Amino acid sequence: MLKGFKSFVMRGDIVTVAVGLIIALALSTLIKAFTDSVINPIIASLQGGRSMGLGWQLGRPGNQATYLDLGAFISAVIYFVIFMAVVYFFIVVPYKHVQARRGVVVFAEPGPLKTCPACLCEDLPAPARKCRYCGSEQELA
């Protein structure tokens, strides 16, 4: 049982996914700190005055629970965009390049699709001879 678990854990794709998750977590922490320390004060300063941030007080003044904080939402959107750009440019693009040098195509666009006339599924590959859902014969395009 332990031998099977060891072979499962030591597979190349499991290790690759684990390393990717660790890197993503570290990048997330770094970008979150940047957003909280740099972006949030800039957004809060846009409101001006003695406000709690960029937004509106819906209830009693000074009550944080009834404050509609648009600045926090804008900050979260900026965080998401920065995080996804970092993941794409520092993880996905180099990974695609390394895999292309090995002759493996990753993150490729799917090929052309066709619709099965019998069951109307729309995700059959164009060169398919049989429908994967209903098994009906397909015309070659």
Side-chain angles (χ1 to χ4, degrees), residues 18-57:
V19 169
L21 288 174
I22 291 168
I23 291 171
L25 181 62
L27 289 173
S28 173
T29 304
L30 180 67
I31 295 168
K32 182 70 174 155
F34 172 76
T35 306
D36 289 344
S37 301
V38 177
I39 302 296
N40 284 356
I42 292 171
I43 292 172
S45 71
L46 295 177
Q47 177 90 17
R50 303 176 76 200
S51 175
M52 290 191 288
L54 183 61
W56 296 277
Q57 185 67 52

Side-chain angles (χ1 to χ4, degrees), residues 87-136:
V87 166
Y88 181 76
F89 290 111
F90 290 109
I91 296 174
V92 173
V93 171
Y95 181 71
K96 283 174 64 174
H97 179 70
V98 167
Q99 292 297 77
R101 292 182 73 190
R102 294 176 62 202
V104 178
V105 178
V106 292
F107 305 118
E109 292 292 323
L113 301 175
K114 65 181 176 182
T115 301
C116 174
C119 69
L120 301 178
C121 70
E122 299 176 345
D123 63 343
L124 290 178
R129 295 180 186 205
K130 277 190 151 182
C131 176
R132 69 175 78 158
Y133 302 106
C134 68
S136 64

